Amino acid sequence: MFLSRQLIQFFSVAENSSLAEAAEKLNLTPSALSHGIHDLECKTGILLIKRSGQKSSLTIAGRELYQQLLPYYTRIKNISDNLSGKKKNNKSLNIKTDCLCYSPLKDKIMSFCKENPDLAITIESQEFIDIKHEIMNKNTDVVISSDCSADNKDINYLDLPPEETGIIAHDSLLKKYDSISDLIMNERLIKIKTKTHTYALHRFLSTLKTELIDHHSITVPADYNISDFISSAAGFSLLPENKPIIDNLKSKGCRFIKLPHEYNISINRRVYFREIYNQTISDFILKIQN
């Protein structure tokens, strides 16, 4: 109703493995669909689709356009379907994460929960997630993961904004040293026992060309309040720039210090999802993506 013919064709090609398969779902001939995609490429000035024999896939530019348009395409599709009586909103949402800890993303999820009091939401966290199995074979609507290593044509995903990290420590520790490097080499590192935090710390220490042996660190469980260790000056940590956490620690005499550009470490995540034509999932993705 509200979507252009060419945009519908583009999404059909993006979500199927061949032009023939996409054309069949739209009740078009592959030739007609190919002409429609070509017209869209001419209008945008972007090569959107690459073809290999009978198979087709998005170019890098096509994937970027798909990711940018997908949440809005889904919402418009839902509005159109609701007006025509085709679909009802899903009133439950099953989310699985590979541990968010003190991520700013966690605050967005909490905000979404507060804004949707009538929605049944299940959130489960585990360190290692078989993303394809969760999305394709289990009743999981959304997986949020720092595993961005492989694309899968069968799974929809969007890249989330990177989470910039920095050093956080009590003022009494910071005043003891002339530089952050001295602090790092002489104070204990407070580590969170998760794959994501371990990876970020490893990259951070690699940029400093140093290693901290185990007895020079404190490792706490993911569900433990790391703020207690930081505010008691037991050591320093590396955390994403989470405003509520930082404001709370500032009131306890702590400071968050952004890392210089050459040492900057960011945590990258993706949101993988099962259904694109689901307003609940669409609303959730829009919330955490902004």
Side-chain angles (χ1 to χ4, degrees):
M1 185 184 298
F2 302 114
L3 295 167
S4 72
R5 173 180 55 83
Q6 290 174 341
L7 192 59
I8 292 171
Q9 291 175 351
F10 170 65
F11 270 81
S12 183
V13 173
E15 291 157 8
N16 291 281
S17 60
S18 69
L19 282 174
E21 186 178 339
E24 182 178 357
K25 291 186 177 181
L26 294 174
N27 293 318
L28 295 173
T29 64
S31 177
L33 180 56
S34 183
H35 281 302
I37 296 298
H38 178 70
D39 289 343
L40 184 59
E41 289 176 329
C42 290
K43 286 182 179 179
T44 60
I46 300 172
L47 183 62
L48 301 171
I49 305 295
K50 55 184 176 183
R51 301 166 180 82
S52 177
Q54 298 298 317
K55 300 292 183 180
S56 65
S57 60
L58 295 179
T59 62
I60 294 175
R63 167 60 68 176
E64 289 176 354
L65 181 62
Y66 173 79
Q67 290 200 359
Q68 291 170 12
L69 290 176
L70 181 56
Y72 307 100
Y73 176 86
T74 305
R75 294 202 75 176
I76 294 171
K77 181 72 166 57
N78 287 329
I79 291 170
S80 178
D81 286 343
N82 287 334
L83 287 174
S84 62
K86 289 182 180 178
K87 285 188 176 282
K88 295 181 180 179
N89 293 344
N90 193 341
K91 288 299 180 183
S92 67
L93 185 67
N94 298 313
I95 305 167
K96 185 160 283 190
T97 79
D98 61 359
C99 195
L100 297 175
C101 294
Y102 303 99
S103 162
L105 187 57
K106 189 174 183 179
D107 299 322
K108 295 179 181 180
I109 295 173
M110 293 298 295
S111 177
F112 178 83
C113 292
K114 291 177 182 178
E115 293 168 2
N116 295 270
D118 297 329
L119 187 65
I121 301 175
T122 301
I123 304 174
E124 186 178 342
S125 177
Q126 63 186 58
E127 189 164 355
F128 298 99
I129 301 176
D130 185 336
I131 297 169
K132 184 174 181 179
H133 179 70
E134 290 293 333
I135 297 295
M136 304 297 292
N137 301 322
K138 297 186 71 175
N139 190 32
T140 303
D141 298 305
V142 172
V143 171
I144 300 171
S145 175
S146 55
D147 181 4
C148 306
S149 58
D151 295 344
N152 191 305
K153 284 285 292 182
D154 298 324
I155 303 174
N156 299 296
Y157 72 83
L158 287 174
D159 292 312
L160 296 174
E163 300 169 22
E164 303 299 332
T165 59
I167 292 289
I168 192 158
H170 196 275
D171 278 336
S172 62
L173 292 184
L174 293 167
K175 290 175 181 176
K176 288 171 59 176
Y177 303 101
D178 294 328
S179 68
I180 291 296
S181 296
D182 289 341
L183 169 74
I184 292 167
M185 294 305 300
N186 291 282
E187 295 294 335
R188 285 189 297 190
L189 170 65
I190 303 171
K191 302 188 292 186
I192 305 170
K193 194 176 181 180
T194 69
K195 180 180 67 173
T196 303
H197 199 238
T198 300
Y199 175 67
L201 288 172
H202 175 73
R203 288 175 55 207
F204 171 65
L205 296 174
S206 296
T207 62
L208 295 176
K209 296 181 173 59
T210 186
E211 293 183 7
L212 296 181
I213 55 178
D214 289 341
H215 74 260
H216 205 55
S217 65
I218 304 171
T219 302
V220 300
D223 57 353
Y224 201 91
N225 190 356
I226 195 174
S227 301
D228 292 342
F229 282 97
I230 297 170
S231 59
S232 64
F236 71 95
S237 191
L238 186 75
L239 291 179
E241 192 173 0
N242 184 323
K243 189 176 186 305
I245 294 292
I246 293 169
D247 288 346
N248 176 262
L249 284 168
K250 279 182 179 178
S251 69
K252 298 178 180 180
C254 302
R255 271 192 287 162
F256 179 84
I257 301 171
K258 292 186 178 182
L259 298 173
H261 178 71
E262 61 270 26
Y263 299 133
N264 192 24
I265 302 297
S266 60
I267 296 173
N268 299 302
R269 302 183 199 268
R270 277 180 179 170
V271 53
Y272 298 87
F273 45 100
R274 178 165 49 86
E275 265 188 270
I276 64 165
Y277 302 129
N278 179 310
Q279 190 164 338
T280 299
I281 294 175
S282 175
D283 290 344
F284 177 75
I285 292 172
L286 282 172
K287 180 70 177 181
I288 66 173
Q289 195 182 32
N290 297 326

